[in-house]
PDB file of all heavy atoms in Angstrom:
ATOM      1  N   ILE A 268       7.067  52.411 -46.466  1.00 77.00           N
ATOM      2  CA  ILE A 268       7.005  51.376 -47.521  1.00 77.00           C
ATOM      3  C   ILE A 268       7.810  50.149 -47.077  1.00 77.00           C
ATOM      4  O   ILE A 268       9.007  50.285 -46.693  1.00 77.00           O
ATOM      5  CB  ILE A 268       7.623  51.988 -48.843  1.00 77.00           C
ATOM      6  CG1 ILE A 268       6.801  53.209 -49.213  1.00 77.00           C
ATOM      7  CG2 ILE A 268       7.637  50.936 -49.891  1.00 77.00           C
ATOM      8  CD1 ILE A 268       7.411  53.919 -50.460  1.00 77.00           C
ATOM      9  N   ILE A 269       7.263  49.001 -47.183  1.00 75.00           N
ATOM     10  CA  ILE A 269       7.977  47.799 -46.837  1.00 75.00           C
ATOM     11  C   ILE A 269       8.856  47.428 -48.080  1.00 75.00           C
ATOM     12  O   ILE A 269       8.352  47.242 -49.162  1.00 75.00           O
ATOM     13  CB  ILE A 269       7.035  46.592 -46.616  1.00 75.00           C
ATOM     14  CG1 ILE A 269       6.269  46.839 -45.313  1.00 75.00           C
ATOM     15  CG2 ILE A 269       7.769  45.288 -46.515  1.00 75.00           C
ATOM     16  CD1 ILE A 269       7.117  46.783 -44.102  1.00 75.00           C
ATOM     17  N   GLN A 270      10.149  47.360 -47.863  1.00 79.00           N
ATOM     18  CA  GLN A 270      11.088  46.974 -48.918  1.00 79.00           C
ATOM     19  C   GLN A 270      11.321  45.477 -48.935  1.00 79.00           C
ATOM     20  O   GLN A 270      12.273  44.991 -48.295  1.00 79.00           O
ATOM     21  CB  GLN A 270      12.397  47.800 -48.779  1.00 79.00           C
ATOM     22  CG  GLN A 270      12.222  49.258 -49.021  1.00 79.00           C
ATOM     23  CD  GLN A 270      13.580  49.982 -48.936  1.00 79.00           C
ATOM     24  OE1 GLN A 270      14.073  50.223 -47.909  1.00 79.00           O
ATOM     25  NE2 GLN A 270      14.059  50.389 -50.111  1.00 79.00           N
ATOM     26  N   TRP A 271      10.446  44.790 -49.631  1.00 81.00           N
ATOM     27  CA  TRP A 271      10.547  43.378 -49.700  1.00 81.00           C
ATOM     28  C   TRP A 271      11.810  42.879 -50.406  1.00 81.00           C
ATOM     29  O   TRP A 271      12.347  43.611 -51.249  1.00 81.00           O
ATOM     30  CB  TRP A 271       9.340  42.747 -50.391  1.00 81.00           C
ATOM     31  CG  TRP A 271       7.989  42.996 -49.703  1.00 81.00           C
ATOM     32  CD1 TRP A 271       7.179  44.064 -50.014  1.00 81.00           C
ATOM     33  CD2 TRP A 271       7.409  42.264 -48.640  1.00 81.00           C
ATOM     34  NE1 TRP A 271       6.032  44.011 -49.199  1.00 81.00           N
ATOM     35  CE2 TRP A 271       6.161  42.924 -48.344  1.00 81.00           C
ATOM     36  CE3 TRP A 271       7.775  41.203 -47.912  1.00 81.00           C
ATOM     37  CZ2 TRP A 271       5.307  42.423 -47.380  1.00 81.00           C
ATOM     38  CZ3 TRP A 271       6.877  40.697 -46.999  1.00 81.00           C
ATOM     39  CH2 TRP A 271       5.677  41.312 -46.735  1.00 81.00           C
ATOM     40  N   PRO A 272      12.239  41.672 -50.239  1.00 84.00           N
ATOM     41  CA  PRO A 272      13.310  41.146 -51.067  1.00 84.00           C
ATOM     42  C   PRO A 272      12.927  41.204 -52.547  1.00 84.00           C
ATOM     43  O   PRO A 272      11.725  40.931 -52.888  1.00 84.00           O
ATOM     44  CB  PRO A 272      13.511  39.680 -50.582  1.00 84.00           C
ATOM     45  CG  PRO A 272      12.996  39.665 -49.223  1.00 84.00           C
ATOM     46  CD  PRO A 272      11.832  40.727 -49.160  1.00 84.00           C
ATOM     47  N   PRO A 273      13.792  41.581 -53.430  1.00 87.00           N
ATOM     48  CA  PRO A 273      13.388  41.764 -54.841  1.00 87.00           C
ATOM     49  C   PRO A 273      12.800  40.624 -55.478  1.00 87.00           C
ATOM     50  O   PRO A 273      11.999  40.725 -56.444  1.00 87.00           O
ATOM     51  CB  PRO A 273      14.725  42.182 -55.514  1.00 87.00           C
ATOM     52  CG  PRO A 273      15.544  42.759 -54.407  1.00 87.00           C
ATOM     53  CD  PRO A 273      15.159  42.015 -53.177  1.00 87.00           C
ATOM     54  N   PHE A 274      13.082  39.364 -55.076  1.00 84.00           N
ATOM     55  CA  PHE A 274      12.519  38.233 -55.801  1.00 84.00           C
ATOM     56  C   PHE A 274      11.016  38.120 -55.602  1.00 84.00           C
ATOM     57  O   PHE A 274      10.330  37.521 -56.443  1.00 84.00           O
ATOM     58  CB  PHE A 274      13.230  36.885 -55.364  1.00 84.00           C
ATOM     59  CG  PHE A 274      12.720  36.280 -54.061  1.00 84.00           C
ATOM     60  CD1 PHE A 274      11.777  35.271 -54.159  1.00 84.00           C
ATOM     61  CD2 PHE A 274      13.054  36.735 -52.825  1.00 84.00           C
ATOM     62  CE1 PHE A 274      11.302  34.631 -53.040  1.00 84.00           C
ATOM     63  CE2 PHE A 274      12.550  36.183 -51.704  1.00 84.00           C
ATOM     64  CZ  PHE A 274      11.643  35.095 -51.812  1.00 84.00           C
ATOM     65  N   LEU A 275      10.484  38.727 -54.484  1.00 83.00           N
ATOM     66  CA  LEU A 275       9.061  38.769 -54.334  1.00 83.00           C
ATOM     67  C   LEU A 275       8.412  39.779 -55.220  1.00 83.00           C
ATOM     68  O   LEU A 275       7.195  39.732 -55.575  1.00 83.00           O
ATOM     69  CB  LEU A 275       8.689  39.051 -52.884  1.00 83.00           C
ATOM     70  CG  LEU A 275       9.005  38.001 -51.886  1.00 83.00           C
ATOM     71  CD1 LEU A 275       8.722  38.507 -50.462  1.00 83.00           C
ATOM     72  CD2 LEU A 275       8.151  36.765 -52.131  1.00 83.00           C
ATOM     73  N   LEU A 276       9.215  40.732 -55.641  1.00 84.00           N
ATOM     74  CA  LEU A 276       8.663  41.868 -56.491  1.00 84.00           C
ATOM     75  C   LEU A 276       9.060  41.705 -57.945  1.00 84.00           C
ATOM     76  O   LEU A 276       8.856  42.601 -58.744  1.00 84.00           O
ATOM     77  CB  LEU A 276       9.215  43.238 -55.957  1.00 84.00           C
ATOM     78  CG  LEU A 276       9.063  43.467 -54.439  1.00 84.00           C
ATOM     79  CD1 LEU A 276       9.614  44.795 -54.093  1.00 84.00           C
ATOM     80  CD2 LEU A 276       7.598  43.362 -54.037  1.00 84.00           C
ATOM     81  N   ALA A 277       9.706  40.580 -58.308  1.00 83.00           N
ATOM     82  CA  ALA A 277      10.165  40.364 -59.688  1.00 83.00           C
ATOM     83  C   ALA A 277       8.981  40.374 -60.626  1.00 83.00           C
ATOM     84  O   ALA A 277       7.888  39.834 -60.365  1.00 83.00           O
ATOM     85  CB  ALA A 277      10.897  39.015 -59.782  1.00 83.00           C
TER      86      ALA A 277
END
Side-chain angles (χ1 to χ4, degrees):
I268 300 174
I269 292 291
Q270 291 185 283
W271 299 95
F274 85 99
L275 290 173
L276 311 179

